[in-house]
Amino acid sequence: MREAVRKLLRERGRAPQALHDSDKLGATLGLKSLDLAQLVFDLELTLCANPFSGLVPITSVRTIGDLAHAFELARADAGTGEAGEGGVAAELAVAQAAERRRAQRRGLT
């Protein structure tokens, strides 16, 4: 996941930096919506998975970690025909992260 982000940053003329799961794709890394679309497209081709076809809402993905969890869920779903134990955990983590962000925006935390 991080290597895909580094590659995109290099293509955009930005020096790759140390990347962390908590890095925000837009705010921290400065990726625009078109950059994110390219990143997701590249990952879908590489990983043969599409987490945004009903498994995870794309609007819930804000960080590198969120993106990794979404693809983990999609790969688990593709491998078993349904979300396995790991997939459920990944789905729950993405949902919890999205809820924390919503609460922060509402000023509840």
Side-chain angles (χ1 to χ4, degrees):
M1 197 64 51
R2 291 179 187 163
E3 188 52 41
V5 174
R6 275 189 199 94
K7 178 183 173 209
L8 182 64
L9 289 171
R10 280 192 300 269
E11 289 173 1
R12 300 301 183 256
R14 297 187 200 126
Q17 56 186 350
L19 299 174
H20 307 284
D21 284 351
S22 61
D23 288 341
K24 293 181 181 176
L25 298 167
T28 305
L29 301 175
L31 299 179
K32 305 295 182 204
S33 59
L34 189 57
D35 298 328
L36 297 175
Q38 182 65 51
L39 178 61
V40 168
F41 177 75
D42 291 345
L43 288 168
E44 286 176 356
L45 290 177
T46 302
L47 301 174
C48 299
N50 179 3
F52 308 113
S53 63
L55 293 172
V56 176
I58 197 163
T59 56
S60 71
V61 175
R62 299 274 191 252
T63 67
I64 292 174
D66 293 344
L67 190 60
H69 286 304
F71 275 94
E72 287 171 11
L73 175 61
R75 291 188 62 160
D77 186 60
T80 64
E82 60 184 65
E85 190 174 313
V88 170
E91 183 176 15
L92 180 59
V94 170
Q96 288 172 335
E99 184 56 37
R100 282 192 303 274
R101 285 189 301 276
R102 282 191 294 272
Q104 286 173 339
R105 284 193 296 265
R106 292 189 304 253
L108 299 176
T109 59

